[in-house]
């Protein structure tokens, strides 16, 4: 069982309270913890993974504390432990990629032409403007403002049934509009 050495990233990390075997290790971690955490963050994409990586590297350093002869080179030792640990994690990762003759991905649809989109948008608005005022108001509230049938009825002061029937007639007129025929 490993003994936790790092208590968090936002404050300086320290050895557990029950472990006072190496007071110099505790002072080293308090002094250099934030710098080492920045190094760990540069090795991973996720801040939580960086904390875990630093925790593991500091644990390895704690275990080897007596064998480290030059304590002036501790940063280098811990950085090497960070890199080695990260490399080991990367190598252990399971990769589920297999070579095959055909690509499994579907071809991406070509991006729509912005000019065509604008033309369609303009044609739709011209068709909506041809609707009677009441139907136009209901279509705009239902589909452009994204209100429910109940909300549309409340805003216009009509029944939900009136909204349903008026919107149905308006959509039928829009489907029959000759300017919108290329859309179908």
């Amino acid at each position: 069982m490993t003994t936790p050495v790092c208590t968090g990233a936002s404050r300086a990390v320290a050895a557990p309270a029950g472990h006072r075997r190496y007071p110099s290790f505790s002072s080293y971690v308090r002094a250099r913890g934030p710098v080492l955490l920045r190094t760990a963050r540069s090795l991973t994409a996720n801040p939580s993974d960086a904390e875990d990586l630093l925790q593991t590297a500091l644990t390895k350093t704690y275990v080897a504390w007596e064998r480290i002869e030059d304590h002036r080179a501790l940063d280098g030792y811990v950085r090497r432990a960070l890199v080695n640990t990260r490399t080991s994690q990367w190598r252990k990762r399971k990769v589920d990629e297999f070579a095959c003759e055909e690509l499994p991905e579907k071809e991406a649809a070509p991006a729509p032409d912005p000019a065509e989109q604008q033309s369609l948008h303009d044609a739709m608005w011209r068709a909506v403007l041809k609707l009677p005022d009441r139907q136009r108001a209901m279509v705009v509230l239902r589909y452009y403002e994204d209100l429910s049938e109940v909300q549309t009825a409340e805003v216009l002061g009509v029944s939900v049934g009136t909204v349903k029937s008026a919107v149905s007639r308006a959509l039928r007129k829009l489907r029959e509009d000759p300017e919108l025929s290329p859309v179908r």
Side-chain angles (χ1 to χ4, degrees), residues 36-105:
L36 296 170
L37 182 59
R38 280 194 300 271
T39 302
R41 283 188 177 156
S42 70
L43 295 171
T44 64
N46 183 335
S48 297
D49 290 342
E51 292 175 19
D52 292 343
L53 179 62
L54 179 59
Q55 175 76 34
T56 303
L58 288 175
T59 301
K60 290 177 180 180
T61 305
Y62 183 81
V63 170
W65 193 253
E66 290 178 341
R67 294 189 315 263
I68 301 172
E69 295 176 1
D70 186 6
H71 282 223
R72 292 174 295 171
L74 283 172
D75 280 358
Y77 185 92
V78 176
R79 282 191 186 102
R80 174 52 50 198
L82 285 167
V83 170
N84 289 347
T85 302
R86 182 64 183 138
T87 302
S88 295
Q89 290 171 346
W90 179 78
R91 285 181 180 156
K92 289 177 185 175
R93 223 179 33 169
K94 183 179 179 184
V95 178
D96 291 326
E97 294 180 12
F98 305 100
C100 59
E101 291 182 24
E102 292 184 32
L103 292 176
E105 296 89 19

Side-chain angles (χ1 to χ4, degrees), residues 5 13-31 62 65-66 71 74:
V5 181
V13 289
H19 258 297
R20 298 291 177 209
R21 188 169 169 190
Y22 303 120
S24 58
F25 177 78
S26 296
S27 61
Y28 169 76
V29 172
R30 271 192 298 278
Y62 183 81
W65 193 253
E66 290 178 341
H71 282 223
L74 283 172

